[in-house]
């Protein structure tokens, strides 16, 4: 049976059992909200997951989906929760499987009529047609935020604190570094990973050490870094979400991730019976509306015009395809 038929059978399954799918007018279920579940290993307040959660709530508010979720699921318990949601009749399950990849794919194989859209470091497998992957490929916005950072550092020393050196994080850091080098090719970078997706105290202590080593701008890939910058009276660049409201004198700019294009594409595919193994990471590109540079807000008038002009020029070129931010998934190193 083809993937299209499998997914269509899934969409029409309940009614088919009662009345026979062949008797249904085409698109009879189109107006019904899709049952969608989110399975997250961290709190929904964590920046990466918060963008998925925000997009799902928006889709529910406009009536496209019926959304439920579970947060703080351990990697060892992840497969069990996936199975429970699949058994409960959810048609699309979204989450992140960086620490439970093999187990999640085994669950997907057992439920071929359920669409799985998972944050993953691995690519899609055509042999598992109901399992698609994504990540926050926001290197475009990270590059632009690097230009701002390069213009704002006075010491020429930038500290960068990340969670894990996985490809998705590495590419953002490299893009940021490339942007900063546009303004000052002699900038030095301190790079460190804390080995956790959510450990603000550890991220903060790591950032403090970088400040002691001369950093006057911090790249806050993790929560806790901007707290260190605020306490030390230096600047920070945000990632994924805009936290300037919480750090008005600290966070100059942020590379924002918009998950809406990714989720909306998946919802449309499931409803159309066309969901298949695919890499949804492309929907995070700036040209797809999946990323942007946050407004300068409290830093309006404080960023050198030279940097602003370059940001404007590069942003337009990225959107029209005349400039491409290099993708480097290798682990970044300190200068």
């Amino acid at each position: 049976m083809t993937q299209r038929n499998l997914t269509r059978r899934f969409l029409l399954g309940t009614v088919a059992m009662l009345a026979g799918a062949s008797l249904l007018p085409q698109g009879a279920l189109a107006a019904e909200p899709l049952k969608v579940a989110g399975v997250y290993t961290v709190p929904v307040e964590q920046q990466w997951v918060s963008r998925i959660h925000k997009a799902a709530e928006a889709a529910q508010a406009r009536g496209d989906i019926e959304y439920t979720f579970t947060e703080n699921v351990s990697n060892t318990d992840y497969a069990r929760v996936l199975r429970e949601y699949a058994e409960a009749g959810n048609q699309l399950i979204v989450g992140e499987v960086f620490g439970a990849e093999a187990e999640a794919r085994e669950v997907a194989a057992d439920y071929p009529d359920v669409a799985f859209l998972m944050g993953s470091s691995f690519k899609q497998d055509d042999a598992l047609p109901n399992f698609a992957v994504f990540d926050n490929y926001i290197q475009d916005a990270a590059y632009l935020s690097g230009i701002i950072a390069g213009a704002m550092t006075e010491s020429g020393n930038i500290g960068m604190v990340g969670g894990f050196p996985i490809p998705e994080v590495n590419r953002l850091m490299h893009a940021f570094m490339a942007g900063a080098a546009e303004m000052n090719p002699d900038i030095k970078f301190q790079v460190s990973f804390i080995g956790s997706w959510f450990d603000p105290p550890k991220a903060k202590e790591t950032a403090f050490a970088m400040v002691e080593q001369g950093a006057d701008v911090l790249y806050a890939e993790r929560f806790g870094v901007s707290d260190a910058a605020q306490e030390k009276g230096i600047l920070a660049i945000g990632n994924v979400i805009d936290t300037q409201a919480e750090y008005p004198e600290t966070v100059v700019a942020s590379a924002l991730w918009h998950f809406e294009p990714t989720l909306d594409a998946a919802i449309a595919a499931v409803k159309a019976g066309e969901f298949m193994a695919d890499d949804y990471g492309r929907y995070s590109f700036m040209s797809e509306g999946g990323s942007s540079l946050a407004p300068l807000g409290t830093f309006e008038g404080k960023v050198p015009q030279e940097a602003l002009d370059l940001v404007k020029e590069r942003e337009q070129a990225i959107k029209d395809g005349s400039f491409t931010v290099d993708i480097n998934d290798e682990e970044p190193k300190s200068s």
Side-chain angles (χ1 to χ4, degrees), residues 99-317:
E101 186 81 33
E103 296 86 348
R105 291 184 184 240
E106 288 176 2
V107 173
D110 290 341
Y111 296 91
D113 295 341
V114 179
F116 292 81
L117 179 66
M118 295 289 155
S120 169
S121 293
F122 296 88
K123 294 302 182 184
Q124 72 277 15
D125 179 0
D126 290 340
L128 193 59
N130 62 324
F131 192 98
V133 299
F134 71 89
D135 212 324
N136 64 323
Y137 293 152
I138 60 171
Q139 65 276 353
D140 300 327
Y143 169 83
L144 298 180
S145 72
I147 293 175
I148 301 294
M152 297 299 286
T153 178
E154 296 180 358
S155 68
N157 187 324
I158 295 178
M160 306 180 68
V161 181
F164 292 92
I166 63 172
E168 294 80 357
V169 173
N170 297 344
R171 71 167 57 187
L172 302 189
M173 286 188 162
H174 279 295
F176 172 87
M177 295 162 80
E182 290 268 24
M183 300 306 299
N184 180 0
D186 297 322
I187 285 179
K188 303 298 181 184
F189 299 96
Q190 301 179 57
V191 181
S192 185
F193 297 91
I194 63 172
S196 173
W197 293 129
F198 193 73
D199 192 342
K202 188 172 183 178
K204 185 177 180 180
E205 288 303 317
T206 302
F208 277 151
M210 291 177 172
V211 177
E212 292 298 319
Q213 295 298 316
D216 67 345
V217 174
L218 296 173
Y219 175 70
E221 200 269 329
R222 292 292 101 193
F223 275 166
V225 177
S226 293
D227 292 303
Q230 181 174 252
E231 289 188 25
K232 293 296 184 179
I234 66 171
L235 303 177
I237 301 294
N239 183 57
V240 176
I241 63 174
D242 186 1
T243 58
Q244 191 182 80
E246 290 74 37
Y247 308 95
E249 304 302 319
T250 302
V251 176
V252 185
S254 298
L256 305 184
W257 183 31
H258 308 294
F259 191 68
E260 287 79 1
T262 303
L263 182 60
D264 291 350
I267 291 171
V270 174
K271 286 190 173 184
E274 297 175 350
F275 189 88
M276 62 185 66
D278 198 358
D279 183 357
Y280 278 70
R282 65 184 182 278
Y283 292 107
S284 293
F285 286 17
M286 187 171 286
S287 60
E288 296 285 347
S291 61
S292 68
L293 188 66
L296 291 177
T298 55
F299 281 85
E300 284 285 353
K302 300 178 183 179
V303 177
Q305 190 61 44
E306 178 188 5
L308 297 180
D309 291 344
L310 183 58
V311 166
K312 184 177 180 180
E313 175 189 334
R314 290 284 193 260
E315 182 177 10
Q316 181 57 45

Side-chain angles (χ1 to χ4, degrees), residues 40-125:
Y40 311 122
T41 63
V42 293
V44 292
E45 291 80 13
Q46 189 259 12
Q47 67 260 49
W48 193 90
V49 161
S50 73
R51 306 307 284 180
I52 302 173
H53 186 63
K54 177 177 179 289
E57 289 192 316
Q60 178 169 251
R62 64 177 184 256
D64 286 348
I65 68 173
E66 177 186 319
Y67 172 60
T68 187
F69 69 93
T70 301
E71 58 189 337
N72 293 315
V73 178
S74 67
N75 288 332
T76 55
D77 208 28
Y78 204 87
R80 180 189 64 79
V81 178
L82 286 181
R83 288 184 185 279
E84 288 184 353
Y85 276 127
E87 290 287 345
N90 285 281
Q91 298 153 285
L92 172 64
I93 302 178
V94 62
E96 15 86 44
V97 295
F98 299 104
E101 186 81 33
E103 296 86 348
R105 291 184 184 240
E106 288 176 2
V107 173
D110 290 341
Y111 296 91
D113 295 341
V114 179
F116 292 81
L117 179 66
M118 295 289 155
S120 169
S121 293
F122 296 88
K123 294 302 182 184
Q124 72 277 15
D125 179 0

Side-chain angles (χ1 to χ4, degrees), residues 6-29:
L6 276 172
T7 311
R8 179 171 175 78
R9 187 189 68 180
F10 162 65
L11 286 172
L12 304 180
T14 302
V15 179
M17 290 174 61
L18 299 174
S22 62
L23 301 179
L24 288 172
Q26 188 172 3
L29 299 185

